[in-house]
């Protein structure tokens, strides 16, 4: 058997007044997702466990068959893995934004969308002046860089704050804090991070990249801001856990990081943008190639979520319809060539209600099509039909993955 999971990031939504109180799924023309729903089985999946923030890393980790409660250690290590930064067991990796602080307030979490080229120059000077002895800066994409701390003298038992959550707030209120003020290693780690934030300002404020930005009226990258630090997830590989080899296809670092942590092969597709203009055809071709070589493919499409964050239902519908036409349709067509040996699941990783313009935590609808369990029960892919579905509410990702792999009654390898 071969298996493919198709993710429409953030597609689940609430009913929307301007759409006659229908949801995005209900208002979109998605004949191909509806085909999966009609000939497959539906249910709801709790991708965001109680007490966890509804991030994409959490939602996708669940769908990959892991438990974010025990397995998720932060964005930092996932992005580091995706960027090819090596992490030993005790290393701690942080997302390290370049941000703008002015008059003591966090004015911009991305330093005016600083370019990758400019950011690289700044990270280089930080590494030269502040790096070494277990402290290392790695360039990433634009403002999204990595800070790695190595050695027994550092702890991951600290609180940090995502800078986008505290815009226009005094930065001093949101500096890293130890979880336990009596934890000496955590206290000393926090001291190091605060020192790096301060020293980054000394090095960055007069850097030529920033002088040039100032001259052109662009926000200056005044400080680094490390957050969501953690150690590499200690998880069994997908192969060990479920007995299958696999690949992950996406445009998003976090998703690649999850895949790499699970031992899936990351497939980078040229022209994959994370927006509705992404290279769908390239992604489908890559998926088909991977299915020849491996058992399982995880194909993630980000653009729908991006449109939900704009709060514009029309843009979100358009992005979802593109997903249906450019991803689901070719997969259904290709399925005919698999001699009843391709199982397909389609689902979002979490809700991103247009009204909220951010993620929310309700269980998401899913549909699983197994050609050996073909049925004909005409229905649309929607939140409501997921709730009414024959598979009911699945409480966690491991149960979902077992269900997905077991639908043909094959032995589950674990
Ligand atoms: Zn997401």
């Amino acid at each position: 058997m071969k298996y493919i999971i198709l993710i429409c990031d953030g597609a689940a939504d609430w009913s929307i007044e301007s759409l006659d109180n229908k949801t995005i799924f209900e208002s979109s023309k998605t004949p191909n997702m509806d085909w999966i729903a009609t000939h497959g089985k539906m249910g709801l999946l709790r991708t965001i466990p109680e007490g966890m923030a509804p991030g994409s890393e959490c939602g996708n980790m669940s769908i990959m068959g892991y438990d974010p409660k025990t397995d998720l250690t932060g964005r930092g290590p996932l992005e580091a893995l995706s960027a090819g930064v090596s992490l030993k067991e005790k290393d701690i990796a942080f997302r390290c934004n370049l941000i703008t602080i002015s008059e003591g307030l966090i004015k911009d979490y991305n330093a005016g969308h600083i370019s990758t080229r400019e950011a690289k120059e700044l990270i280089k000077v930080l590494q030269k002046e502040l790096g070494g002895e277990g402290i290392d800066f790695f360039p990433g994409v634009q403002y999204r860089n990595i800070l790695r701390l190595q050695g027994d003298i550092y702890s991951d038992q600290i609180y940090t704050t995502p800078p986008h959550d505290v815009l226009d707030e005094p930065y001093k209120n949101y500096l890293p804090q130890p979880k336990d003020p009596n934890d000496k290693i955590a206290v000393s780690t926090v001291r190091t991070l605060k020192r790096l934030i301060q020293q980054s300002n000394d090095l960055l404020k007069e850097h030529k990249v920033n002088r040039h930005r100032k001259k052109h009226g662009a926000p200056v990258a005044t400080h680094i801001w490390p957050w969501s630090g953690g150690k590499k997830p200690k998880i069994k590989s997908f192969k060990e856990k479920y007995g299958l080899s696999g690949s992950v296809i996406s445009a998003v670092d976090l998703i690649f990081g999850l895949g790499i942590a699970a031992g899936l092969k990351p497939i980078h597709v040229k022209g994959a943008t994370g927006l509705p203009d992404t290279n769908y055809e390239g992604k489908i071709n890559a998926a088909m190639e991977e299915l020849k070589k491996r058992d399982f493919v995880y194909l993630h499409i980000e653009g729908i979520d991006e449109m939900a964050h704009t709060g514009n239902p029309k843009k979100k519908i358009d992005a979802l319809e593109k997903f249906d036409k450019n991803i689901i349709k070719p997969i259904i067509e290709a399925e005919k060539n698999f001699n009843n040996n391709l199982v397909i699941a389609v689902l979002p990783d979490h809700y991103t209600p247009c009204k909220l313009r951010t993620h929310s935590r309700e269980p998401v609808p899913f549909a699983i099509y197994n050609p050996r369990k073909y049925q004909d029960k005409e229905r649309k892919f929607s939140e409501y039909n997921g709730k009414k579905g024959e598979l009911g509410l699945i409480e966690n990702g491991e149960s979902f993955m077992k269900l997905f792999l077991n639908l043909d009654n094959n032995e589950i390898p674990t």
Side-chain angles (χ1 to χ4, degrees), residues 136-249:
D136 288 288
F137 295 88
F138 298 89
V141 178
Q142 298 176 346
Y143 61 94
R144 305 190 296 270
N145 302 285
I146 308 286
L147 167 64
R148 182 184 68 191
L149 301 180
Q150 282 187 307
D152 293 334
I153 53 170
Y154 298 114
S155 163
D156 59 355
Q157 294 303 303
I158 60 175
Y159 292 119
T160 57
T161 306
H164 52 261
D165 283 354
V166 288
L167 287 177
D168 292 320
E169 300 276 346
Y171 80 95
K172 287 200 165 144
N173 296 353
Y174 297 99
L175 287 166
Q177 296 292 332
K179 286 187 179 169
D180 172 1
N182 299 316
D183 177 343
K184 282 191 186 137
I185 301 180
V187 169
S188 129
T189 306
V190 161
R191 202 178 304 127
T192 301
L193 291 173
K194 285 182 178 171
R195 171 175 65 80
L196 293 173
I197 292 171
Q198 198 49 52
Q199 289 178 321
S200 74
N201 181 236
D202 300 336
L203 292 164
L204 296 180
K205 64 186 175 199
E206 289 305 325
H207 191 278
K208 66 176 190 299
V209 163
N210 272 329
R211 284 210 306 269
H212 186 259
R213 289 181 69 77
K214 208 180 213 165
K215 212 168 98 191
H216 291 83
V220 168
T222 60
H223 294 75
I224 57 160
W225 192 264
W227 60 283
S228 203
K231 297 176 183 169
K232 185 161 87 171
K234 258 198 216 162
I235 57 176
K236 277 189 191 171
S237 72
F238 194 81
K239 179 101 191 169
E240 287 170 312
K241 205 168 157 79
Y242 296 108
L244 301 175
S245 61
S247 321
V248 56
I249 302 171

Side-chain angles (χ1 to χ4, degrees), residues 9-10 56 60 302 305 349-350 359:
D9 199 301
S56 284
N60 283 281
E302 168 73 5
D305 184 64
D349 52 341
H350 49 73
H359 306 172

Side-chain angles (χ1 to χ4, degrees), residues 7-11 54-57 59-60 255 300-302 305 309 348-352 359:
I7 304 292
C8 42
D9 199 301
S56 284
E57 65 276 31
N60 283 281
I255 308 297
H300 169 262
I301 297 287
E302 168 73 5
D305 184 64
H309 283 286
D349 52 341
H350 49 73
Y351 273 62
T352 309
H359 306 172

